[in-house]
Coordinates of all heavy atoms in Angstrom, one line a residue:
G447 N 22.5 -24.6 -12.5 CA 21.5 -23.9 -11.9 C 20.3 -23.5 -12.8 O 19.4 -22.9 -12.4
Y448 N 20.4 -23.8 -14.1 CA 19.5 -23.5 -15.1 C 19.0 -24.8 -15.7 O 18.4 -24.8 -16.8 CB 19.9 -22.5 -16.1 CG 20.3 -21.2 -15.6 CD1 21.5 -20.9 -15.1 CD2 19.4 -20.2 -15.6 CE1 21.8 -19.6 -14.6 CE2 19.6 -18.9 -15.2 CZ 21.0 -18.6 -14.7 OH 21.2 -17.3 -14.3
Y449 N 19.1 -25.9 -15.0 CA 18.6 -27.2 -15.4 C 19.3 -27.8 -16.7 O 18.9 -28.7 -17.2 CB 17.0 -27.1 -15.7 CG 16.3 -26.9 -14.5 CD1 16.0 -25.7 -14.0 CD2 15.7 -28.0 -13.7 CE1 15.3 -25.5 -12.8 CE2 15.0 -27.8 -12.6 CZ 14.8 -26.6 -12.1 OH 14.0 -26.4 -10.9
M450 N 20.4 -27.1 -17.1 CA 21.1 -27.6 -18.2 C 22.1 -28.6 -18.0 O 22.9 -28.4 -16.9 CB 21.7 -26.4 -19.0 CG 22.2 -26.8 -20.5 SD 23.0 -25.5 -21.4 CE 21.7 -24.4 -21.6
T451 N 22.3 -29.6 -18.8 CA 23.3 -30.6 -18.5 C 24.6 -30.1 -19.0 O 24.7 -28.9 -19.6 CB 22.9 -31.9 -19.3 OG1 23.0 -31.7 -20.7 CG2 21.5 -32.3 -18.8
A452 N 25.6 -31.0 -19.2 CA 27.0 -30.6 -19.7 C 26.8 -30.3 -21.2 O 27.7 -29.7 -21.8 CB 28.0 -31.7 -19.4
T453 N 25.8 -30.8 -21.8 CA 25.6 -30.5 -23.3 C 24.7 -29.3 -23.5 O 23.6 -29.4 -23.1 CB 25.0 -31.7 -24.0 OG1 25.9 -32.9 -23.8 CG2 24.8 -31.5 -25.4
P454 N 25.2 -28.3 -24.1 CA 24.3 -27.1 -24.4 C 23.1 -27.5 -25.2 O 23.1 -28.1 -26.1 CB 25.2 -26.3 -25.2 CG 26.6 -26.6 -24.9 CD 26.5 -28.0 -24.7
G455 N 21.9 -26.9 -24.6 CA 20.6 -27.2 -25.3 C 19.9 -28.5 -24.7 O 18.8 -28.7 -25.1
V456 N 20.6 -29.2 -23.9 CA 20.0 -30.5 -23.3 C 19.7 -30.2 -21.8 O 20.7 -30.0 -21.1 CB 20.9 -31.7 -23.4 CG1 20.2 -32.9 -22.8 CG2 21.1 -32.0 -24.9
F457 N 18.5 -30.3 -21.4 CA 18.1 -29.9 -20.0 C 17.5 -31.2 -19.4 O 17.2 -32.1 -19.9 CB 17.1 -28.8 -20.0 CG 17.5 -27.5 -20.6 CD1 17.5 -27.4 -22.0 CD2 17.8 -26.5 -19.8 CE1 18.0 -26.2 -22.5 CE2 18.2 -25.2 -20.3 CZ 18.3 -25.2 -21.8
A458 N 17.5 -31.2 -18.0 CA 16.9 -32.3 -17.3 C 16.0 -31.8 -16.2 O 16.4 -30.8 -15.5 CB 18.1 -33.2 -16.6
A459 N 14.8 -32.4 -16.0 CA 13.9 -32.0 -15.0 C 13.3 -33.2 -14.3 O 13.2 -34.3 -14.9 CB 12.8 -31.1 -15.7
G460 N 12.8 -33.0 -13.1 CA 12.0 -34.0 -12.4 C 13.0 -35.0 -11.8 O 14.2 -34.8 -11.5

Side-chain angles (χ1 to χ4, degrees):
Y448 294 89
Y449 292 87
M450 191 183 293
T451 68
T453 301
V456 179
F457 299 77

